[in-house]
Amino acid sequence: MITLTVNGQKHKVDADPNMPLLWAIRDIIGLTGTKYGCGAAQCGACTVHLNGESVRSCVTKLSRAAGQQVVTIEGLSANNNHPLQQAWNELNVPQCGYCQSGQLMSAAVLLRENPQPTDQDIDDAMSGNICRCGTYQRIRSAIHLAAELQRKAMASK
Amino acid sequence: MEANAISRRNFLKISGLAGSALCLGTYFVAEAKNENLITAANAEKAGIEMNAWIHIDTNGKVTIVDHRAEMGQGSYQSVPQIVAEELEVDLKDIDVIFGEGNQEKFGNQITGGSSTIRGSYKNLLKLGATSRVLLVTAAANKWGVPLIDCYAKSGHVFHRPTGKKFHYGELVEVASKLTPPQDIPLKTRAEYKLIGKPLNRRDSPAKTNGEAIFGLDKKLPGMLYAAVERNPRMRGKVKSFDATEALKVPGVKKVFKVKMGVFTIYREGVAVVATSTWAALQGKKALKVTWDDTGFEHINTADIYKIQHEKLKTDEGLLLQKVGNPDAAISKAAKVIDVVYQTPYQSHSAMEPVNCVAWYRPEKLEIWGPIQAPEWVQDFVSKQMKMPKKNVIVNMTFLGGGFGRKAFMDYPHEAAVISKEAGAPVQVIWKREDDLTQGPYRPGITYRCQGVIDNGEMSVAKFRMAGQNIDHWSNGKSSGKANDSTSEGFLKPYFDSIKNVSFAEVVFEAPIPAMWWRSVYASTNGFAYESFLNEMAHEANKDQLDFRRAYLKDERCQQLIDKLEKVSGWKSRDKKSGYGVAITECFNTTVGQVVKVSRQQNGKIKIDKVWAVMDCGWYVNPDIIAAQVEGSVLMGLGAATTHEITFKDGLVQQNNFYDYPMPRIADMPPVEVHIMENTADAGGVGEPGLPPFAPALTDAIFDLTGKRIRKLPFDMQTV
Ligand code: FES
Ligand code: FES
């Protein structure tokens, strides 16, 4: 039995400790926003936050998350209102949408660490996330927009 | 009268929505072009159940059915955007649901050929308008006022003189008993409030918080998970297997042989059914299978191209189209440009690997999945499973990309077979490796292009193509007629202006599963034919755009060229950079692109900018169109510079994104999209942006380096 916290909620998971966190989150905990794309740390579709850092859940063993804090796309914000989510919706970033959970989770770490990223910063931070539909141009613009929204929100506080 | 009185009752349908509802649909005779609006009389006569595209319940809730797949191309937004325009409802107030596979109800549903809008918009407009008129008439009748004094807006009917109003829900009972009028005038483009506007996509929110349900996200109570070890050579069989180790994996319940139909043949494998995805994948890994690979050819990539190149030397092929006499003109010419272009096999590699959920019970088979052609799946699977069609329900989820792969019927059939054998609902997952190594693929094609420049004029253009015919695969045999897609991508006005022009297919067959891949033949034809035109322009010592202008006399083409020239600053292009151009036609849409490249300090070539001008006639949502072109450029970039599926001894040599690497964010060039405004019929949107990219890019590289690239993929790092 492995205990972990996902999106602030404690879960006891009875599964093979070698099971990738991805399948535990999807099949057992039942949160399907985190996606399977390659199973080989190549595409970033499965990106979640483990204690605040981006990890590829397809190659992260469930045992590694024991006693840790996991955040998935479902926990990125309460009402789909993280500045990145707002920007993504404003600029119609998603096409098929399958990669976007991972894109957003990677971008969230970038924006937290670097509130005013340049194009180069964005390209570097997002290089692990594939989008087969080719939404990259909009992802770049949306991260800039989210940075602006975040700054505005801070300023008004 | 009597017949009508009975028929009219068909409009009043008690649906599960909220009591009685107005339901309007269409009645498809067979082909999309024969679509008719359902009236009480013809619905009755055809003996079909009154179907519903638009539901309005008594509370006024409007539900619109998206009968096409949503695989990123935007049907979930565009279909309701069209219907709501004429129905006069606000998009924020309506629900959208996916239609299940049903040819009689929805006509063609296959989301391919960029047909979502162009195949149904006229009908959708008519449906919206008819419903609106019925509702307004119902209000006028209820109030006892002249129809002319009533109008519809935002889901209500208003009485102009008094300002009183009904919401649609209060009118559906009365409206549903009226006979739908014919020939309702539709709005002009200038009157549109929704169509033509860059409205936000309604599927975006669910795609940013994890709520959107893709195929792999569909779960059912008691559902099991399956992974299948399939013969990596599609036509091979299972000789024997040893499940001992697989069955030891905790969670693995059952291991058995499966056969799934792929058009006319069967693919074989061994299925591992388990209680979780992980257990199924572990079980699959532990399987030991021996294959029987006798009785068919094990092909190598090198041989494919060798045969194609050899054939093109002497084989005239099957003629598709001819104007004048290219051969005679060539034999008399002082100089003939004679070049060969080669394009690679491609994997669709949608971000969501192939998968499917099936739940078989003897009286009912239900399927959920990322499915591009639900009505084909219904037809195919019901035949394979020997079940009446009506007992097979095919539901579409959101698709994590499709690009043609998910119009194949193999994986839903396989899921059905596994569910039947497992005696439970089952989700079958294809690993990325399965998705990449098992195809089907865009066929690799070689082209020979011959041409003559006579006094600066292109007097001959002779094209031959050698590559697999996708239809031969699906029909299982060659028809002996030329592939009618041989000239796809080539603009039709050229046939009126080039004196001698011909297209022929040099037959090449291979045991490789070939399937449509975004923009289909235009994606490879476009590279060959447009590259060739650029070479001819160079030979004629003409500017590439001026050269095309001289042959594309059609007014829309002329306007597109003017626009492309203007937005790209073509006339004032700087001499330090390389500029290239191409214009192709695909699914009734013409797209021209200009690509700008430059040499960076590290010596490598960088794409600085792509300008795209699309003429798709009547259109719905310009922002979705721009996104489709941006995406097409990126997919075209991968196909031109990185991607090639290769075969060795009949086995695919690529496995996952580490050896079939996808372009990353840093590879994305800035793309600027312009849409032509005109009143022509709608053309496709999801695919036509792809074909011109590769030839425009290689033309730009020629401009910069003087090097002609005639074989794809080529390495951007080393040119
Ligand atoms: S699924 Fe984890 S990186 Fe691709
Ligand atoms: S939106 Fe489809 S893969 Fe990114």
Side-chain angles (χ1 to χ4, degrees), chain B residues 64 79-91 94 194:
Chain B
I64 291 172
V79 168
Q81 196 169 334
I82 296 171
V83 176
E85 177 74 60
E86 285 288 358
L87 184 58
E88 294 292 352
V89 289
D90 292 342
L91 281 166
I94 65 163
L194 304 174

Side-chain angles (χ1 to χ4, degrees), chain B residues 11-39:
Chain B
F11 278 97
L12 185 67
K13 240 184 70 162
I14 308 301
S15 73
L17 297 167
S20 54
L22 175 70
C23 302
L24 265 192
T26 52
Y27 153 43
F28 289 88
V29 180
E31 281 294 304
K33 58 176 182 298
N34 291 330
E35 38 191 73
N36 291 315
L37 193 69
I38 288 197
T39 64

